[in-house]
């Protein structure tokens, strides 16, 4: 039986390339490391803010709109949109499961994120009176 640090452990390890004598272990999660490397390398020119910035890790929706957002909108602008979307949902009492509410939100995404237009403002005079 081998003790701690015996020959059986060196099969999964490699010597430190710097020569410092440390033993490096194989990456236990290589798929995460490669995903992080890919994410760090994916930079887009955001159509909303005009900056070169990291892309979203994946498309937010499984449709053409999601693919366009992934290709054209940076993470910072997407986070701003999520805050505005939450405001709209709460103000107008939207249920994202409802087809009319989703249509309204998709139209807002199209206007605000992809076309750079002003989105639907929250009209406080209408609070509590909007029905879907």
């Amino acid at each position: 039986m081998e003790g701690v640090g015996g020959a059986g452990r060196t099969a999964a390890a490699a010597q430190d390339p710097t020569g410092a004598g440390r033993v490096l272990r194989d990456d236990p999660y290589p798929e995460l490391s490669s995903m992080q490397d890919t994410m760090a390398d994916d930079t887009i020119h955001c159509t909303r803010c005009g900056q070169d910035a990291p892309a979203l890790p994946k498309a937010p929706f499984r449709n053409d709109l999601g693919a366009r957002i992934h290709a054209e909108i940076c993470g910072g602008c997407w986070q701003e949109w999520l805050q505005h979307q939450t405001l709209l949902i709460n103000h107008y009492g939207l249920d994202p499961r409802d087809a009319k509410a989703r249509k309204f939100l998709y139209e807002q995404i199209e206007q605000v994120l992809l076309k750079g237009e002003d989105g639907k403002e929250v009209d406080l005079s209408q609070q509590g009176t909007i029905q879907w």
Side-chain angles (χ1 to χ4, degrees), residues 22-43:
R22 294 176 296 193
V23 175
L24 302 177
R25 303 277 174 235
D26 288 337
D27 188 351
Y29 304 105
E31 64 281 354
L32 293 178
S33 296
S34 65
M35 187 171 79
Q36 289 171 343
D37 292 342
T38 303
M39 285 173 29
D41 294 340
D42 289 343
T43 303

Side-chain angles (χ1 to χ4, degrees), residues 81-95:
W81 162 254
L82 291 177
Q83 289 177 350
H84 184 69
Q85 174 180 262
T86 300
L87 185 70
L88 292 172
I89 289 169
N90 290 336
H91 180 71
Y92 291 110
L94 302 176
D95 180 355

Side-chain angles (χ1 to χ4, degrees), residues 6 9 14 19 25 27 29 42 68-69 71-72 74 82-83 98 114 117-118 132:
R9 297 188 74 177
R25 303 277 174 235
D27 188 351
Y29 304 105
D42 289 343
R68 286 181 57 205
I69 292 168
E72 299 177 25
C74 71
L82 291 177
Q83 289 177 350
D98 179 65
L114 299 173
E117 299 173 357
D118 291 333
W132 287 97

Side-chain angles (χ1 to χ4, degrees), residues 41-61 63-75 77-78 109 113-114:
D41 294 340
D42 289 343
T43 303
I44 61 161
H45 183 78
C46 180
T47 56
R48 183 164 187 260
C49 67
Q51 302 293 316
D52 290 333
L56 294 171
K58 64 178 186 172
F61 310 113
N63 57 22
D64 291 340
L65 180 61
R68 286 181 57 205
I69 292 168
H70 185 255
E72 299 177 25
I73 303 299
C74 71
C77 288
W78 179 248
I109 288 172
L113 287 177
L114 299 173

